[in-house]
């Protein structure tokens, strides 16, 4: 029985965990990111330095950033792998909360290993201890409980084996996955114990493809084949399960047009005749028009967020729903006919059950015409005169043209995700990586690192606005230090463009959304110089022609390069015509707010409850 500390046993165990699906094996936790402090340096830090196992350590610059990196890595590997994240106690642990929430909301596995206060309590209160008067058992690490799918605190070495097995189960369960937290009291991390050798045997976690119930498929097929104007909504579950080919076969066999959520974008190539593109608040006019008149919505791997459903106003009163999802929780939404199972297996079964049925040619022709009209609008938005300052939509067009078919665009928050959802054209489901379940500012650069680590053969273009850049720019240092090459397109529009427009629309007069001093003058801040100070190469672009040249140079470079481009914050991209429920002040002294409230009242009258039993 090997005698190891708890931290040494943890590291040894993690290095021998594998995931497997469809005969393909991957290291489940191939590396560890972290920042050391007194709460983990003598435990996990010592173990990573001294234990002779294959678990490389990478230094990040922020605890929140490391979780974003792990989540992006997990998404890029279809949730088959993730990274461990170790922190000290106190602020190091609580800095994990934002990233953990994003991972859990997006159904992405990440493994969090924060330090914690003494289990023995012999030195209470220790540095950074909360001292909750209700119980000495409470620590700041408990803040991770509501954002974790599994949380455990290892107060004794004997507790570690069961906790490790439970943690790995959740990480590899497509239904339950999300953030997993093992809180490690700093004294217990360094405590030695005689471990059973079996704990350290190589272990393979088989990721299942649950097949849907035959009766559920038959019920769904009866609903589908009765439809005349069906629409299929492809969510992230299509991509994670590798169901893109099954989706294409289903759409082609039955003439069903496909619209995409943010996580599902790219499930069908943009130029496919049945591809309507983005759906919902950030959707295209083509997809939203079809959605409004659909008599059936087939949701595959989607959680039906408010952006997807336009806060319940997108689909008509007569629409019925068939929901294929690996989780019953999501399959039951909108009173849909539930098909619980893997997206690939479920689409294949539904395809067979609907054999011989297809939509009318006139309906497919209508879809083609709507898509043609939207394409013309998008083409205009993606262009800008060579000597002009580019609009944000023209920046997207330039990046899209500079990127190869397997290159990846990464984005997260602000107005760019909406423009990207409508305007980005991709043929590879992994070429589009936008975190929009949590829409977390600061995700972009850290997420880009995770994407590049998971797919080093691809070029990674990180699109980040100035507001989001200022939230977490320091991970540029991590990219430079680790030799992780990114092309970071820093779009500088002097403030919060998205919230500025939203503020104006609700009568808040763009308060606090522009980067100015108290006198209203622009700030003398040079974000490009800031990026260069972190060790990245810098190229400035003041026109569309310069931007195209800068992107070509950055793509050809072997180093992380920041392309700094200024755009007009008042120039908005084309809209898809959907409504979003953002409450407006019911009473106000301003005419703008009163007018906005009247529009809000009209908008929410279009909300449907979709309560008819499936």
């Amino acid at each position: 029985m090997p005698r190891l500390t708890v931290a040494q046993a943890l590291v040894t165990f993690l290095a021998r965990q594998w995931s497997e699906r469809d005969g393909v094996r991957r290291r489940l936790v191939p590396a560890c990111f972290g920042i050391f402090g007194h709460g983990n340096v003598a435990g996990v830090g010592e173990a990573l330095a001294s234990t002779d196992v294959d678990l490389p350590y990478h230094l990040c610059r922020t605890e929140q950033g490391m979780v974003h990196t792990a989540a992006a890595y997990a998404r890029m590997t279809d949730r088959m792998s993730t990274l461990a994240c170790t922190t000290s106690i106190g602020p190091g642990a609580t800095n994990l909360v934002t990233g953990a929430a994003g991972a859990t909301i997006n159904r992405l596995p990440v493994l969090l290993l924060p330090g914690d206060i003494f289990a023995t309590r012999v030195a209470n209160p220790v540095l950074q201890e909360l001292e909750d008067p209700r119980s000495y058992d409470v620590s700041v690490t408990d803040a991770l409980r509501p954002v974790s799918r599994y949380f455990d605190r290892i107060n004794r070495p004997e507790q570690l084996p069961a906790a490790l097995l439970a943690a790995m189960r959740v990480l590899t369960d497509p239904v339950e996955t999300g953030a997993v937290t093992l809180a490690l009291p700093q004294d217990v991390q360094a405590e030695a114990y005689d471990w059973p050798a079996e704990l350290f045997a190589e272990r393979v976690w088989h990721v299942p493809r649950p097949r849907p119930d035959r009766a559920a498929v038959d019920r769904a097929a009866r609903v589908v084949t009765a439809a005349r104007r069906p629409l299929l909504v492809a969510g992230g579950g299509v991509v994670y399960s590798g169901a893109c080919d099954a989706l294409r076969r289903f759409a082609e066999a039955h003439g069903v047009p496909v619209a995409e959520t943010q996580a599902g974008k790219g499930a069908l190539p943009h130029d496919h005749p049945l591809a309507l593109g983005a759906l919902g608040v950030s959707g295209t006019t083509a997809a939203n028009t079809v959605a409004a008149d659909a008599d059936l919505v087939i949701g595959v791997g989607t959680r039906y967020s408010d952006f997807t459903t336009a806060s319940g106003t997108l689909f008509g009163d007569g629409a019925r729903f068939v929901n294929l999802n690996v989780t019953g929780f999501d399959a039951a939404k909108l009173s849909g006919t539930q098909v619980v199972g893997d997206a690939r297996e479920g689409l294949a079964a539904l395809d067979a059950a609907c054999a011989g049925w297809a939509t009318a040619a006139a309906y497919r022709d209508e879809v083609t015409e709507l898509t043609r009209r939207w394409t013309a609008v998008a083409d205009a938005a993606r262009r800008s005169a060579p000597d002009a300052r580019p609009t944000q939509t023209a920046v997207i067009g330039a990046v899209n043209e500079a990127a190869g078919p397997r290159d990846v665009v990464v984005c997260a928050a602000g107005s760019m995700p909406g423009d990207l959802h409508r305007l980005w054209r991709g043929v590879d489901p992994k070429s589009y990586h936008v975190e929009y379940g949590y829409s977390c500012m600061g995700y972009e650069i850290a997420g880009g690192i995770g994407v590049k680590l998971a797919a080093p053969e691809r070029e990674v273009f990180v699109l980040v606005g100035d507001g989001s850049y200022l939230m977490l720019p320091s991970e540029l240092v991590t990219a430079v230090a680790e030799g992780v090459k990114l092309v970071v397109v820093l779009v500088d529009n002097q403030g919060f463009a998205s919230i500025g427009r939203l503020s104006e629309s609700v009568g808040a007069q763009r308060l606090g959304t522009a980067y100015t001093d108290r006198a209203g003058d622009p700030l003398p801040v040079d974000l490009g110089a800031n990026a260069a100070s972190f060790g990245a190469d810098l190229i400035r672009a003041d026109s569309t022609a310069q931007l195209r040249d800068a992107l070509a140079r950055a793509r050809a470079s072997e180093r992380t390069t920041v392309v700094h481009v200024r755009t007009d914050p008042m120039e908005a991209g084309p809209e898809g015509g959907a409504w979003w429920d953002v409450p407006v002040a019911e009473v106000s002294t301003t005419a703008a707010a009163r007018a906005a409230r009247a529009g809000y009242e009209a908008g929410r009258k279009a909300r449907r409850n979709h309560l008819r039993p499936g």
Side-chain angles (χ1 to χ4, degrees):
M1 299 179 74
R3 186 167 180 80
L4 302 169
T5 68
V6 167
Q8 291 164 359
L10 167 69
V11 167
T12 303
F13 176 88
L14 292 179
R16 293 170 182 167
Q17 306 305 299
W18 294 77
S19 66
E20 179 276 331
R21 188 176 68 179
D22 300 334
V24 178
R25 293 200 341 165
R26 297 188 69 124
R27 282 282 302 278
L28 179 55
V29 185
C32 180
F33 270 67
I35 296 177
F36 293 123
H38 72 283
N40 66 338
V41 67
V44 175
E46 187 281 334
L48 288 167
S50 68
T51 306
D52 186 20
V53 295
D54 182 20
L55 191 69
Y57 168 76
H58 302 278
L59 171 64
C60 69
R61 271 68 196 173
T62 63
E63 291 88 358
Q64 178 180 324
M66 75 170 88
V67 188
H68 294 329
T69 296
Y73 189 97
R75 176 172 171 177
M76 202 63 190
T77 60
D78 290 331
R79 306 190 292 197
M80 300 296 291
S81 291
T82 189
L83 305 173
C85 302
T86 179
T87 75
S88 187
I89 68 174
T94 55
N95 283 349
L96 295 171
V97 172
T98 296
T104 296
I105 286 171
N106 286 298
R107 320 289 208 261
L108 294 170
V110 297
L111 177 59
L112 310 180
L113 305 172
D116 214 326
I117 57 176
F118 279 55
T120 55
R121 305 180 187 173
V122 295
N124 289 39
V126 296
L127 179 64
Q128 300 173 329
E129 183 170 349
L130 180 64
E131 279 201 292
D132 189 318
R134 294 168 297 177
S135 172
Y136 281 121
D137 190 45
V138 176
S139 91
V140 297
T141 310
D142 287 292
L144 286 159
R145 287 183 184 271
V147 295
S148 298
R149 295 294 286 169
Y150 177 79
F151 179 100
D152 206 350
R153 181 174 284 118
I154 312 303
N155 286 310
R156 291 292 309 142
E158 296 92 332
Q159 297 170 352
L160 183 66
L164 287 173
L165 295 178
M168 298 304 107
R169 180 193 65 79
V170 174
L171 289 175
T172 55
D173 185 337
V175 176
E176 296 294 331
T177 199
V180 168
T181 300
L182 296 180
L184 304 169
Q186 55 183 309
D187 53 344
V188 176
Q189 287 183 51
E191 187 174 344
Y193 186 73
D194 294 321
W195 304 94
E198 295 85 355
L199 178 64
F200 307 117
E202 184 177 279
R203 198 178 303 268
V204 180
W205 298 86
H206 301 280
V207 179
R209 286 194 179 278
R211 290 178 170 82
D213 176 66
R214 182 72 251 176
V217 173
D218 291 341
R219 286 192 296 270
R222 288 194 292 272
V223 177
V224 171
T225 54
R228 295 187 176 185
R229 299 181 61 85
L231 171 67
L232 193 149
V233 177
V238 175
V239 179
Y240 299 145
S241 70
C244 296
D245 286 343
L247 172 71
R248 177 185 50 78
R249 287 192 295 268
F250 181 90
E252 290 174 350
H254 308 293
V256 179
V258 175
E260 303 161 320
T261 69
Q262 284 278 13
K265 189 168 175 65
L268 199 64
H270 79 92
D271 54 356
H272 192 282
L274 291 165
L276 285 165
L279 181 76
V281 176
S282 55
T284 71
T285 54
N288 289 345
T289 299
V290 172
D293 293 332
D295 58 357
L296 173 67
V297 179
I298 307 170
V300 184
T302 177
R303 61 191 187 94
Y304 286 118
S305 75
D306 66 333
F307 255 53
T308 297
T309 65
S311 299
T313 66
L314 184 61
F315 307 116
D317 284 323
R320 303 185 71 182
F321 295 84
V322 167
N323 299 328
L324 166 59
N325 204 292
V326 74
T327 75
F329 178 81
D330 289 319
K333 290 176 178 177
L334 301 176
S335 298
T337 298
Q338 302 173 45
V339 182
V340 179
D342 174 74
R344 193 185 75 179
E345 297 296 322
L347 278 169
L350 190 59
D351 184 18
C354 294
W357 168 82
T359 61
Y363 178 55
R364 299 195 295 273
D365 290 343
E366 180 184 340
V367 168
T368 300
E369 176 59 19
L370 288 168
T371 303
R372 184 194 66 78
R373 293 177 192 174
W374 170 256
T375 300
V377 172
D379 285 344
R382 287 162 52 100
R383 289 194 298 264
S384 183
D387 59 347
R389 173 176 287 189
T391 62
Q392 180 169 278
T393 57
V395 170
I396 291 171
V399 174
N400 206 166
E401 291 173 10
R406 284 178 51 79
D407 295 344
V408 187
V409 64
V410 179
C411 192
S415 59
M416 265 193 294
D419 287 339
L420 276 165
H421 197 202
R422 295 184 190 98
L423 300 177
W424 188 264
R425 295 168 179 170
V427 296
D428 185 316
K430 287 299 180 184
S431 70
Y432 185 86
H433 185 113
V434 174
E435 190 288 292
Y436 215 59
Y438 206 37
S439 186
C440 183
M441 297 177 74
Y443 174 91
E444 295 90 340
I445 295 170
I449 294 171
V451 170
K452 187 67 173 180
L453 288 173
E457 73 283 1
R458 297 178 184 244
E459 290 292 331
V460 178
F461 290 82
V462 174
L463 270 170
V464 58
D466 50 356
S468 198
Y469 173 82
L470 284 169
M471 293 285 181
L472 207 65
S474 55
E475 292 310 309
L476 272 176
V477 181
T478 303
V480 172
E482 296 290 337
V484 176
K485 186 271 177 95
L486 304 175
V487 177
V488 178
V489 183
L490 174 50
V491 179
D492 191 342
N493 52 27
Q494 298 84 53
F496 302 113
S498 174
I499 297 303
R501 287 196 287 273
L502 183 62
S503 172
E504 189 172 45
S505 74
V506 300
Q509 305 171 24
R510 292 182 175 259
L511 176 66
T513 62
Y515 288 157
T516 60
D517 61 22
R518 299 303 298 178
D521 296 322
L523 294 175
V525 175
D526 188 338
L527 297 182
N530 173 263
S533 76
F534 288 142
D537 289 348
L538 173 66
I539 308 175
R540 297 186 191 272
D542 295 320
S543 69
T544 301
Q546 290 178 8
L547 174 62
R548 293 181 187 280
D549 177 69
L551 291 169
R553 290 163 55 194
R555 192 180 191 281
S557 174
E558 295 182 355
R559 300 190 73 252
T560 288
T561 303
V562 174
V563 177
H564 182 217
V565 55
R566 294 185 184 275
T567 62
D568 184 350
M570 307 305 289
E571 191 75 35
E575 295 290 336
W579 183 74
W580 185 32
D581 190 344
V582 178
V584 180
E586 192 167 358
V587 296
S588 176
T589 59
T590 69
R594 291 195 297 272
R597 178 68 189 193
Y600 175 73
E601 294 288 354
R604 66 179 185 176
K605 286 179 181 177
R607 182 182 285 120
R608 288 93 176 184
N609 56 37
H610 299 301
L611 294 176
R612 185 172 64 170

